[in-house]
Structures are given as C-alpha cells and as structure tokens.
C-alpha cells in the first residue's frame, strides 16, 4: 500500500537511477571502487605502499615519508605501511582512552618490522547528546568514520588497517571503511566501563539508572526505601555523579557491546575483544596481539570480505539473539552486509530469531553487565557453547588465520553454577527478542525488541507526537496518564525526516523510570540499545517520505503482535489512509545546508541499513 506521495518519490528515484545508468553505463548492483595498482615487482607485504616507495616514481612522496619519521631507505623500500585509525576524542568515556590503545598498537606493529601511521576520525557521544538535537549528528558519524578510513587508506596507499573503536556507531563505521578498501584489517573494541556506584542507594548503577531515575524524578517516584529522608534531588544528583566510573563504553548488552560481539563473531576482531574491560591490562595486551595478527592477515591475504560472508553474518545474528542485543544491531549489520555485498534482509533476522533462544540475563532487561560475562569466560565462551549446540557455524575464517571454532576450542567452557547465561533447555525466552513486524503501519518493516517480560501483544490508542521533543515535553510535564493503554507514536524522526534517525532513550527510560506500564512506544526513528519495554522502531517507509505513519491520528487503535509479526492501525482501512493522504502535506526539510542536509539527501531507508552510498 504505497500511497500518492510515496509513489511520487519512488518514481523520481527510479528516474534518477535510470539517468545514472544511462550516463555511467552501470547499475547499482555493480559496486565499483577506485582501482589501485599493487603488487609491483619485488614488493612483498608492502604491495600497495610500494607504489609510492619503489625506485623514484614518486620522489615528493618519499621525501614526505622521510620527514614523517621513516629512518632509512631500507625501511622505506621494504616495510609495509599499516594505518592505525582510532575514534579518539576527549569528553566521552567510550573514546577517551583510544589514543593510548593506538600508541600500543603502533609499538607492536613497529616491532613486526612494519611502519605504523596513527590517524584519527570523529564520533559523537550518544550519552551526552541523548534527547537533544545533538543526537541528530550521531548516526551519520558512522558514514563519516567509514569515509575517513576509506579515504586515508586509499590516499596514503596503506597496505593494511587497524581500527580502534569505542561507542556503537564507531564499530560498524570502522568495519564499513575497511570493507570498502578490502585490504587486511582488524578492529579493536575499546571495551566496556566498570559498573558505577550510588553512595546513597548503596548499590551498583549504570547509565540506564541515570536515565530511568529521571523518569522517576518527574513522576515523583524517585526515593530510597532504606532512607525516606533523602530527597529526589539528592538521589538524582548522586546517581549522575556515580553512574559511570571512568573509561569504556556502556556496560550492558547495549549497542556498543552488541556490535563488538557481532564483529568478534564475524571474525574481524580477536577472540575476547568484545568482553575484555576497557581498563584491564588484558586490553593493552590485545593491542600487541593485534599487531601480530595483522601481519598474519597480510601474509595470508585475509581481507574483510573474506570474513564477511553469509555464514558469518548468520553467526552474528545468532549471537545477537542469544545475548539479547540492541535493535540498532539490525541497522548496522544490514549496513555492513550492504557494504560487503552480502545479501542480508530484515527477514533473515526474523528467521534466526525464530530458531535461537534468548539465554542471557544481561542489561538492559536483565541483571548483569558485560564485566560479569567477562568473568565467566566472555563472549568466546558463549560462542563455544553455541558451536557445540550446532547453532553457530564454526568453519568461518577469522583474522587470526584460524576458524571461529579453532579460536574458541581452548577457551574455558561456561560453568554450571553461573547464572548469567541460561542453558539452552531453560531459556529466558524460547525464541529471540528481535521481532520484525509488517502491517499497514509499516509496509516495508519495523524492528521490535520484545523480551517477553512485557507480554507478546499490545493494543492501545494512538497518541501522536511530531518529533521526539514533543513527547519529552509531555513526559516532563507529567502529561502521559496511567489510566489507559496508549501507543505513543513519534514520527518525522527517520533517517531523512529527523534528519539523522536519533535514538530516543530519554523518553523510553523516563517511561520505565516512571513505572508507566500501560505504554508502548513506536517510531520511524531509533531506540538506544539501553532501551527496554514494549518498543518498536525503524518503521519504514518513514513519515517524511510518505509512509503510513505520517497519517496516524490521535485515538486510532494500534495493535502490535509479536506472535503474528504484525503492526497495524486496526480500525483504519486502506481507503481511509488514502483519503488522509489527500490532505497530507510533506513537511518542510528542517535543514538545507551543512552535514545533516547532505546526509538527508543521500541516506537510504532503515530497512536497508540507512547507508549513504547506494545511488
């Protein structure tokens, strides 16, 4: 059911595509990147950099390299050159230590008789920008990171690349950049932070505690049962000060740890990388191991596209379902697969979710954090369990030069007395928590995160908000009642309409903190990996391009049914929707210049990963 405005848009896209094919003589399926000469006579592992360093073909380039620190002609002519790209910046605990990790990688690479060149790309702190307009810049940093890695690797003729990522968009961006160049590459995850601690509540807390406490604060529900004299202002201030103790990404199975787990399973980071804490000595030792592994990749010509296969993506999906990963993992894995030219669709996520049990008692819906999983063996021990059960394909190749099964063969097995990972015959939920929904509200799909704790079906009356801030304002004023089932709809927050498809953890956490159990949330934007509750995101087509979510009205009856994989306006017919579109006016673009305007112009829809280079 594609209606007038959307049909018009699709027709324009088809015409643009036809014109491009006529002009350039190619179709979108023929992905082409700039071709580089390599493998000059006499070159070894320096098959790309030798283009610049052999003989005297590029004397200015050689002069620049000497000035940058190359000590002599032997090193210049024979050593391969490896880029070390970190998403480092100060002011964000997820990323503030990555420069130091990069320096350790550089030392290790130089010990392998290779040249290492550190450089940097940019990121955005989701925790800092959450709930504000700064969040609109977050998702597009994935593309900036990918563009940066591709740009420096190609322009500088690097022979290989090591990327060091912290926050969630960092990781798919790093992988996409390395995949575009398809030269040997490895990613290091910066690791998770330790749990925080509340002095007043006398218990461990984390970033989600701070966000949910805000909802409790607004609805006058923030109190310490052990000491009623403590004010809600004092409690919230104490939580803010103690939620994050230092360096590292958010500690639950939020988006950062979801992506780190997926990438380790895909074979593009070393065993243990996803679960090793940011502040542990083992994380620094991982940097030295990566320096050794990147040389193995170069010697054996192990490139990202050799690791990124349909089998390895299936494995990543299995781990995502078993551990309760973020809905953002759907978006990012689709984007990574698109870059690697591996066919992966929303329906693949549903198929895997249907066969894999949800077995991890990890935050946000559970009790434990990644540091707890690390202490019982980490992600690699879970991989070992699932390979033994026949749920993971252990034959996929990894950056160690070994298969996934060989990597974890000597890893410790999960002990029977641990409580974090359930046995496969006693899962939290018999199938995965990710549900792909279709219906007259989402003809091209939507992504729901339903653990079963909230039930499998929700019906309520729509209350519509054009933009996230409108819902945040209503919550801040206590205007969302507890008296009836409501489906809160936030629209015009998709990739184009936002622009930027911002995460909406502030609203979802406030609702959980306020104890509003009569609420479901749906949006054409995204929810954070820390979000939980009855939530549906990534609704496509988005409102800004004429998706049916654009004409939902207050009071429409909405049903979300995870068992039938449906999301529908049950009392609105197709004819009713068409009539509503007759008076619908597409919104004015909120920005027309700058990086967000470029992003809105280039970005595709969420069902294909919201990438920017599919013309």
């Amino acid at each position: 059911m594609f209606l007038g405005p959307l049909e018009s848009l699709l027709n324009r896209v088809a015409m643009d595509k036809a014109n491009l094919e006529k002009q350039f003589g190619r179709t979108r399926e023929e992905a082409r990147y700039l071709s580089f000469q390599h493998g000059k006579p006499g070159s070894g592992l320096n098959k790309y950099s030798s283009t610049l360093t052999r003989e005297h073909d590029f004397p200015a380039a050689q002069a620049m390299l000497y000035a940058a620190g190359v000590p002599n002609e032997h090193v210049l002519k024979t050593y391969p050159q490896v880029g070390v790209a970190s998403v480092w910046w100060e002011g964000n605990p997820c990323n503030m230590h990555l420069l130091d990790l990069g320096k350790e990688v550089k030392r290790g690479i130089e010990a392998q008789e290779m040249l290492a060149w550190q450089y940097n790309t940019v990121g955005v702190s989701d925790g800092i920008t959450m709930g504000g307009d700064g969040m609109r810049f977050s998702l597009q940093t994935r593309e900036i990171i990918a563009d940066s890695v591709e740009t420096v690797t190609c322009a500088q003729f690097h022979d290989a690349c090591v990327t060091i990522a912290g926050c969630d968009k960092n990781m798919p961006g790093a992988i996409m950049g390395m995949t575009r160049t398809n030269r040997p590459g490895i990613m290091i995850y910066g690791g998770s932070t330790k749990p925080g601690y509340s002095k007043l509540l006398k218990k461990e807390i984390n970033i989600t505690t701070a966000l949910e406490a805000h909802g409790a604060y607004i609805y006058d529900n923030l109190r310490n049962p052990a000491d009623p004299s403590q004010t809600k202002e004092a409690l919230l201030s104490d939580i803010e000060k103690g939620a994050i103790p230092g360096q590292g990404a958010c500690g639950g199975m939020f988006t950062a740890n979801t992506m780190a787990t997926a990438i380790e399973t895909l074979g593009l980071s070393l065993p243990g990388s996803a679960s090793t804490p940011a502040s542990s000595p083992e994380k620094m030792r991982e940097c030295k191991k990566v320096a050794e592994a990147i040389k193995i990749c170069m010697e054996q010509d192990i490139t990202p596209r050799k690791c990124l296969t349909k089998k390895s993506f299936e494995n990543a999906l299995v781990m995502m379902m078993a551990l309760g990963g973020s809905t953002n993992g759907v978006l990012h894995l689709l984007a990574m697969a698109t870059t690697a030219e591996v066919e992966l669709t929303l329906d693949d996520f549903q198929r895997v979710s249907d066969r894999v049990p949800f077995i991890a008692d990890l935050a946000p819906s559970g009790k434990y954090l990644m540091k707890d999983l690390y202490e019982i063996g980490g992600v690699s021990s879970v991989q070992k369990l699932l390979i033994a059960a026949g749920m993971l394909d252990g034959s996929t190749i990894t950056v160690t030069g070994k298969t996934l099964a060989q990597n974890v063969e000597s890893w410790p097995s999960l002990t029977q007395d641990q409580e974090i990972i359930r046995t496969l015959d006693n899962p939290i939920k018999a199938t995965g928590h990710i549900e792909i929904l279709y219906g007259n509200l989402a003809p091209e799909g939507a992504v729901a995160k339903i653990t079963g704790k909230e039930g499998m079906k929700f019906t309520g009356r729509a209350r519509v908000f054009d933009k996230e801030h409108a819902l945040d304002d209503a919550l801040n004023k206590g205007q969302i009642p507890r008296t009836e089932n409501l489906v809160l709809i936030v629209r015009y927050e998709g990739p184009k309409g936002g622009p930027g498809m911002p995460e909406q953890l502030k609203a979802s956490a406030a609702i959980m903190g306020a104890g509003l159990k009569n609420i479901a949330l749906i949006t054409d934007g995204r929810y954070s990996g820390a979000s939980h509750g009855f939530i549906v995101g990534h609704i496509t087509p988005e409102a800004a391009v004429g998706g049916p979510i654009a004409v939902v009205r207050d009071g429409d009856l909405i049903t979300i049914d995870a068992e039938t994989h449906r999301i529908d306006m049950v009392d609105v017919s197709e004819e009713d929707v068409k009539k509503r579109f007759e008076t619908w006016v597409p919104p004015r673009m909120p920005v027309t210049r700058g990086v967000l305007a470029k992003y809105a112009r280039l970005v595709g829809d969420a069902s294909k990963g919201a990438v920017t280079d599919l013309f």
Side-chain angles (χ1 to χ4, degrees), residues 350 435-438 448 450 455-459 534 536 558-568 570:
Q350 188 62 64
E435 299 289 344
I436 306 301
L437 310 177
Y438 295 93
I450 299 173
M456 297 295 288
K457 185 175 180 179
F458 189 96
T459 298
F534 219 107
V536 182
I558 308 295
T559 293
I560 305 163
D561 192 334
E563 293 178 344
T564 60
H565 313 300
R566 298 286 304 181
I567 179 167
D568 290 292
V570 295

Side-chain angles (χ1 to χ4, degrees), residues 126 129-143 168-169 327-332 334-335 346 445-447 467-468 490-505 522-528 536-544 589-590 596 599-600 603-611:
D126 289 354
T129 61
M130 192 68 66
D133 281 337
M135 172 52 75
R136 302 188 187 286
F137 291 86
S138 177
L139 181 58
Q140 56 98 33
T141 62
R142 187 188 70 187
E143 314 306 307
D168 49 7
K169 262 66 69 179
T327 54
N328 283 316
V330 177
L331 191 77
H332 296 322
L334 286 169
L346 287 175
V447 181
K467 296 292 187 183
E468 176 193 7
V490 178
R491 62 190 179 194
Y492 298 111
E493 293 288 20
K496 289 184 178 295
M501 205 181 183
E503 290 181 1
Q504 297 170 36
L505 174 59
I522 71 174
T523 184
D524 53 5
R526 296 182 297 137
Y527 290 107
S528 164
V536 182
H538 308 200
I539 287 178
T540 52
E542 62 174 292
M589 275 297 293
L596 287 180
Y599 181 78
V603 70
D605 69 66
S607 68
K608 298 177 182 63
V611 297

Side-chain angles (χ1 to χ4, degrees), residues 193-210 213 235-245 251 254 369:
T193 189
K194 295 177 181 178
Y197 187 79
S198 167
K199 294 178 181 178
L200 295 184
L201 296 172
K202 293 182 171 54
K203 67 176 185 178
E204 289 187 350
I205 58 174
N206 57 57
I207 185 66
T208 305
T209 313
L235 284 167
L236 187 55
S237 180
D238 176 64
I239 290 168
E240 290 167 348
K241 292 172 183 175
I244 306 171
F254 310 150
L369 301 175

Side-chain angles (χ1 to χ4, degrees), residues 437-505:
L437 310 177
Y438 295 93
N440 67 3
L441 196 51
E444 293 180 3
V447 181
K449 183 178 184 180
I450 299 173
T451 63
K453 294 180 179 180
E454 307 84 8
M456 297 295 288
K457 185 175 180 179
F458 189 96
T459 298
R461 294 289 174 183
R463 184 162 174 189
V464 181
F465 299 89
D466 292 344
K467 296 292 187 183
E468 176 193 7
H469 66 79
L471 173 57
D472 290 340
D473 288 346
L475 286 166
N476 288 339
K477 295 173 183 175
Q479 293 175 348
I480 304 301
R482 304 174 184 272
T483 54
E484 62 174 324
N485 279 8
L486 292 175
V487 177
L488 306 183
I489 298 175
V490 178
R491 62 190 179 194
Y492 298 111
E493 293 288 20
K496 289 184 178 295
M501 205 181 183
E503 290 181 1
Q504 297 170 36
L505 174 59

Side-chain angles (χ1 to χ4, degrees), residues 250-314:
C250 301
M253 189 48 65
F254 310 150
T255 307
N257 283 322
T258 297
M259 294 315 302
T261 298
I263 290 165
E264 182 178 324
T265 305
L266 287 164
L268 286 172
S269 59
L270 294 186
S273 181
S275 36
T276 304
S279 57
S280 68
E282 190 175 344
K283 183 56 71 175
M284 296 300 284
R285 289 194 291 270
E286 181 185 339
C287 295
K288 182 179 179 181
K289 292 177 183 177
V290 162
E292 298 166 355
I294 195 65
K295 193 167 189 178
I296 291 172
C297 290
M298 297 166 76
E299 290 168 344
Q300 299 184 17
D301 195 30
I302 299 172
T303 60
R305 290 179 185 243
K306 291 181 179 178
C307 295
L308 297 176
T309 64
K310 187 62 182 270
K311 285 183 179 179
S312 69
F313 273 106
E314 291 262 340

